[in-house]
């Protein structure tokens, strides 16, 4: 067994890096037992060859522990729980499928953050985080890709091209057809998010008869649900950690206008009160 301290590669602005952070706080790990290494996604540090050697997909989180490397939030979180002093109660039998559904591209919280739903939203994103984030990535990719090791060159050039096209939607002057196609995709993402909440998430909570999908206390499935839900709520424009009375009506508006089952508000407010949520500034 390696004597090196486990390393969690993360970024404060990453939705999915928040999953293992909550797991660490919820399951009894002491401060400092896992070393956190920040990889600044807004500056494209995840595309540097040194990090791609750890995680060839250039994503966070990654966990290096006892000589092995895990490179997605699901496996990272499971490993943290497996080794935790106080693991959570067993989640519902369908927890794996729920986690997979939460991570589906159809309602990706990074996409609802970066995509605009109409001209007004596009203007706001030009002046806010989305354009700045895409610019930071592009600057890094334009610098790194030309001189990257051959093993990473094709990956980086693909990212460079894709990010540039996305950025030009905000920096250029896309025609009516291009704008409407973008807005259509964004609205579909929000619609899918609403279906997830009103269906899978609501039923997961109700099926266990408690406040959380795992029952009266949160479990592994909840760590994934709450990080997705929190980022999705923040993407509506409400302030992070706003109470359900503010956050949930806005979320309903963005996801089709239909009210949510009361268990969603109860779930959200219960998480707002938890130390793990507050300590890690989940947003």
């Amino acid at each position: 067994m390696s004597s090196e301290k486990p390393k969690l590669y993360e970024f404060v602005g990453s939705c999915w890096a928040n999953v293992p952070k909550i797991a660490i706080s919820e399951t009894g790990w002491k401060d400092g037992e896992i070393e956190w290494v920040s990889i600044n996604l807004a500056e494209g540090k995840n595309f540097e060859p040194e990090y791609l050697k750890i995680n060839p997909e250039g994503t966070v989180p990654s966990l290096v522990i006892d000589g092995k490397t895990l490179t997605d939030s699901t496996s990272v979180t499971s490993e943290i729980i497996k080794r935790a002093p106080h693991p959570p109660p067993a989640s519902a039998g369908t927890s794996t499928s729920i986690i997979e559904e939460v991570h589906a591209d159809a309602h990706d919280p990074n996409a609802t953050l970066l995509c605009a739903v109409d001209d007004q939203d596009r203007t706001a994103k030009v002046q806010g985080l989305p354009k700045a984030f895409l610019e930071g990535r592009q600057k890094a990719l334009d610098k790194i890709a030309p001189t990257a090791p051959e093993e990473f060159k094709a990956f980086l050039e693909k990212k460079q091209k894709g990010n540039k096209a996305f950025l030009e939607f905000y920096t250029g002057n896309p025609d009516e057809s291009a704008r409407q196609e973008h807005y259509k995709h964004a609205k579909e993402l929000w619609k899918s998010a609403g279906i997830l909440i009103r269906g899978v998430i609501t039923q997961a909570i109700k099926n266990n008869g408690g406040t959380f999908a795992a029952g009266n206390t949160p479990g592994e499935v909840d760590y994934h649900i709450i990080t997705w839900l929190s980022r999705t709520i923040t993407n509506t424009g409400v302030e992070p950690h706003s109470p359900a009375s503010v956050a949930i009506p806005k979320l309903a508006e963005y996801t089709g206008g239909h009210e949510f089952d009361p268990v969603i508000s109860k779930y959200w407010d219960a998480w707002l009160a938890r130390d793990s949520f507050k300590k890690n500034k989940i947003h």
Side-chain angles (χ1 to χ4, degrees), residues 108-131:
D108 178 5
N110 296 316
T112 52
L113 169 65
L114 295 173
C115 292
V117 296
D118 53 31
D119 284 337
Q120 183 179 356
D121 194 25
R122 177 176 176 270
T123 298
K125 284 177 164 58
V126 167
Q127 298 168 350
L129 182 148
K131 174 174 170 279

Side-chain angles (χ1 to χ4, degrees), residues 55-247:
N55 183 336
E57 294 298 315
T59 59
V60 294
S62 296
L63 179 68
V64 178
I65 187 166
D66 288 343
K68 66 180 179 180
T69 302
L70 304 166
T71 58
D72 64 88
S73 66
T74 302
S75 60
V76 168
T77 303
S78 292
E79 188 72 15
I80 285 169
I81 289 171
K82 184 171 74 174
R83 297 166 180 262
H86 307 294
S91 299
T94 56
S95 63
T96 300
S97 62
I98 295 170
I99 289 170
E100 290 174 353
E101 184 61 34
V102 168
H103 283 267
D105 289 341
H107 33 254
D108 178 5
N110 296 316
T112 52
L113 169 65
L114 295 173
C115 292
V117 296
D118 53 31
D119 284 337
Q120 183 179 356
D121 194 25
R122 177 176 176 270
T123 298
K125 284 177 164 58
V126 167
Q127 298 168 350
L129 182 148
K131 174 174 170 279
F133 179 78
L134 292 167
E135 283 179 330
R137 281 167 55 99
Q138 195 64 40
K139 182 179 179 181
L141 286 162
D142 289 345
K143 179 181 178 182
I144 297 167
T147 58
E150 197 62 35
E151 61 183 305
F152 302 128
K153 191 171 283 290
F155 169 79
L156 289 168
E157 287 176 348
K158 182 179 179 181
K159 290 291 184 182
Q160 184 183 25
K161 181 179 179 182
N163 192 82
K164 183 178 181 182
F166 204 165
L167 176 60
E168 286 178 346
F169 177 76
Y170 291 116
T171 59
N173 188 28
D175 62 24
E176 178 72 10
S177 175
R179 294 201 316 278
Q180 292 307 320
E181 187 63 28
H182 178 104
Y183 301 153
K184 179 183 177 183
H185 174 62
K187 289 171 182 176
E188 287 172 350
L189 289 165
W190 281 108
K191 181 180 178 181
S192 180
I195 292 170
L196 174 66
I197 297 166
R198 295 181 179 93
V200 169
I201 293 176
T202 296
Q203 288 307 311
I205 297 168
K206 284 187 164 184
N207 285 347
N208 282 289
T211 301
F212 304 98
N216 291 322
T217 56
E220 184 170 1
V221 64
D222 292 294
Y223 307 158
H224 291 268
I225 291 173
I226 192 55
T227 52
W228 177 87
L229 183 62
S230 182
R231 177 54 52 85
T232 302
I233 284 173
T234 303
N235 290 349
T236 69
V238 302
E239 286 296 315
H241 296 211
S242 294
S245 59
V246 174

Side-chain angles (χ1 to χ4, degrees), residues 237-268:
V238 302
E239 286 296 315
H241 296 211
S242 294
S245 59
V246 174
I248 301 305
K250 190 70 172 177
L251 184 61
E253 175 189 329
Y254 265 69
T255 58
H258 305 296
E259 289 185 0
F260 295 113
D261 190 286
V263 297
I264 299 299
S265 289
K266 185 178 179 183
Y267 186 84
W268 177 247

